[in-house]
């Protein structure tokens, strides 16, 4: 199963499976990596869960997710920093090399103010991230989420922030679902790679029509994103990591998850 050696799946993609079952079935199918969502760790010993994943020869690619820095309330901003430290602790215990950041936004203030608070939040975490050997990965989100989920909506904005912060502990995740529409995508991917900031690559598809703008992501090849083209750019930019399938879908979560896993592998091999 050599050709699956760059395939990683997010635990949330097969949400109905507890992480133990997901790990067993991913490994059996020849999947090489896993990205762990924090809810999958609920009630578990995190260190032992990391050992369990490694015993299945799964590379732990990242922990999802931290972030949500901006708020008009100083108290909430402080709580976000504490929660991000907890996420870094969890990543370290699990053996994940990075925490993916959904950076956040507060509709009660401007996007510029939210971006400033995101930058301050990330900068304040760098010593803690470094002490724990965990990198912080900014994931720009589609602008439809700019009200509450992220004030960082383009790869150019993420590049600007990562370059301003200028730390080997801070980079970027490129997710095709969030960035496929951007006419600057190719050049910004090259810029991201050139600066050593291209840490992660997430794949799925944008269904047309999309029935739900959070929970109706498609499998690669099912929608209008040219995943192979973006993959080519990412490789050209020097990315050598795993390709992470991240799909939130009520439709797929309602299916037999083993059948869905088979569909993911087929889509990965043929359409990405
Ligand atoms: Zn993503």
């Amino acid at each position: 199963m050599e050709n699956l050696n760059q395939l990683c799946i997010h635990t949330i993609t097969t949400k109905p499976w507890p992480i133990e079952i997901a790990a067993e079935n991913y490994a059996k199918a020849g999947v090489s990596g896993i990205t762990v969502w924090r809810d999958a760790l609920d009630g578990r010993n995190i260190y032992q869960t990391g050992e369990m994943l490694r015993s299945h020869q799964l590379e732990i690619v990242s922990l999802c997710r931290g972030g949500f820095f901006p708020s008009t309330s100083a108290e909430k901003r402080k709580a976000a920093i504490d929660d991000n430290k907890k996420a870094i602790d969890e990543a370290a215990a699990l053996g994940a090399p990075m925490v993916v950041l959904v950076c956040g936004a507060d509709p009660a203030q401007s996007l510029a103010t939210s971006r400033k608070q995101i930058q301050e939040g990330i900068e304040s975490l760098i010593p803690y991230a470094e002490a724990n050997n965990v990198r912080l990965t900014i994931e720009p989100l589609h602008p439809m989420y700019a009200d509450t989920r992220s004030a960082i909506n383009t790869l150019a904005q993420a590049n600007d922030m990562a370059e301003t912060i200028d730390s080997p502990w801070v980079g970027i995740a490129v997710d095709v679902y969030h960035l496929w529409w951007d006419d600057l995508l190719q050049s910004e991917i090259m810029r991201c790679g050139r600066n050593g900031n291209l840490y992660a690559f997430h794949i799925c598809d944008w269904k047309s029509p999309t029935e739900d703008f959070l929970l109706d992501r498609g499998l690669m090849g099912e929608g209008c994103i040219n995943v192979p083209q973006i993959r080519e750019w990412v490789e050209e930019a020097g990315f050598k990591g795993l390709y992470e399938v991240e799909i939130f879908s009520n439709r797929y979560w309602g299916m037999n998850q083993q059948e869905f896993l088979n569909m993911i592998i087929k889509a990965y091999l043929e359409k990405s």
Side-chain angles (χ1 to χ4, degrees), residues 48-102:
Q48 283 171 5
T49 304
E51 290 289 281
M52 180 275 292
L53 297 175
R54 281 182 288 277
S55 77
H56 285 293
Q57 271 78 52
L58 288 167
E59 178 178 341
I60 303 171
V61 176
S62 27
L63 182 73
C64 280
R65 57 198 189 181
F68 294 99
F69 298 104
S71 174
T72 54
S73 148
E75 206 177 312
K76 284 189 183 157
R77 293 201 299 277
K78 167 77 173 64
I81 297 298
D82 292 343
D83 185 62
N84 278 281
K85 285 186 175 165
K86 193 162 165 269
I88 291 168
D89 291 340
E90 289 172 16
L94 189 68
M98 62 180 139
V99 172
V100 177
L101 302 176
V102 169

Side-chain angles (χ1 to χ4, degrees), residues 139 175 178 202 217 246:
E139 178 165 3
D175 185 323
H178 296 300
H202 298 175
R217 294 191 184 196
E246 181 190 26

